[in-house]
Amino acid sequence: QVQLVESGGGLVQAGGSLKLSCIFSGGTFSTYTMGWFRQPPGAVRELVVAISRNGIYKSYADSVRGRSTVSRDNAKNTVSLQISGLRSEDTAVYYCAARTSTVVATAVASYNNWGQGTQVTVSS
């Protein structure tokens, strides 16, 4: 059974940066497309970025494109997300997600494995 555990959230000042990490277990990591999603207070869950199994193809949401970087290490079963220039609208619970497909999907419903999330709060 796939398990995903996020870490790295916290309270950050506006303009700062943050690195989130997700550790994968219970399967063959390199066969999973991975995604980072977030759910702001009172809003629906939304894509931040999805990354292909080999880490080459990445699909970023417009809201974070240019100020975020996703990477994965298939040898260490980890996927990371770094966001800089944090804004109050980046405040959300951030989730790591996984799916067994080569398609780099961007929809929440396309992912069937989820972590419990890590809170990111940006103070202005």
Side-chain angles (χ1 to χ4, degrees):
Q1 183 175 355
V2 170
Q3 290 190 318
L4 303 169
V5 179
E6 303 95 338
S7 62
L11 178 64
V12 186
Q13 285 191 332
S17 62
L18 198 66
K19 184 175 182 178
L20 306 179
S21 296
C22 172
I23 298 176
F24 172 104
S25 61
T28 303
F29 183 60
S30 61
T31 65
Y32 284 76
T33 293
M34 301 299 296
W36 282 100
F37 292 79
R38 66 186 182 185
Q39 188 162 11
V44 298
R45 197 170 297 189
E46 61 185 20
L47 173 79
V48 178
V49 61
I51 183 169
S52 62
R53 300 189 300 182
N54 61 8
I56 293 176
Y57 183 76
K58 302 161 188 178
S59 179
Y60 290 93
D62 290 343
S63 57
V64 298
R65 185 175 292 114
R67 60 187 184 95
S68 65
T69 302
V70 65
S71 61
R72 65 187 293 165
D73 186 335
N74 286 351
K76 295 183 179 180
N77 290 5
T78 59
V79 58
S80 299
L81 172 67
Q82 182 148 4
I83 306 178
S84 59
L86 284 162
R87 309 163 181 168
S88 57
E89 53 263 41
D90 293 317
T91 294
V93 178
Y94 283 71
Y95 297 90
C96 176
R99 68 189 302 259
T100 53
S101 171
T102 58
V103 176
V104 181
T106 58
V108 171
S110 297
Y111 290 79
N112 56 352
N113 298 284
W114 293 86
Q116 293 195 325
T118 185
Q119 176 71 47
V120 172
T121 302
V122 181
S123 64
S124 56

